[in-house]
Amino acid sequence: ERVCIITTDGRNLVGVLASYDNTTNLVLKNTVERVIRSVDEGEPSAEVPLGLYIIRGENVCLVGLVDEALDTSINWTEVKGAPIGTTKH
């Protein structure tokens, strides 16, 4: 399944869930990081290819399934938004 991961430092990662364990360590295939820029920035948003990617369980904040039809209909370079921020401890 293709999933979207939000990390505790506010990163947005999308990829195919290849493996996981009981401490929420995740392995993703075909991973991309979606870097969403604010309206004030002149640069467009970007999808940075990462390939095979491991995320430690302590860094996982949210895991959700991706709606494939909706996801492919969005031009992610045109999306603008505010940063999510980090998790407060």
Side-chain angles (χ1 to χ4, degrees):
E1 297 286 335
R2 195 153 181 239
V3 294
C4 176
I5 311 293
I6 305 294
T7 62
T8 55
D9 62 353
R11 295 173 66 195
N12 184 343
L13 304 166
V14 177
V16 177
L17 183 62
S19 184
Y20 63 92
D21 65 12
N22 60 350
T23 59
T24 321
N25 293 315
L26 306 174
V27 178
L28 300 178
K29 297 187 297 185
N30 304 324
T31 309
V32 295
E33 179 179 0
R34 291 191 174 144
V35 180
I36 307 299
R37 309 255 191 238
S38 69
V39 178
D40 301 336
E41 293 183 56
E43 293 183 55
S45 296
E47 287 189 313
V48 179
L50 302 173
L52 186 65
Y53 204 74
I54 298 172
I55 306 167
R56 291 188 59 170
E58 63 189 34
N59 295 325
V60 174
C61 186
L62 176 123
V63 178
L65 286 174
V66 172
D67 182 337
E68 295 285 342
L70 179 62
D71 191 60
T72 55
S73 71
I74 297 171
N75 181 355
W76 289 101
T77 60
E78 295 179 0
V79 173
K80 298 289 184 180
I84 294 174
T86 62
T87 303
K88 295 181 182 178
H89 296 282

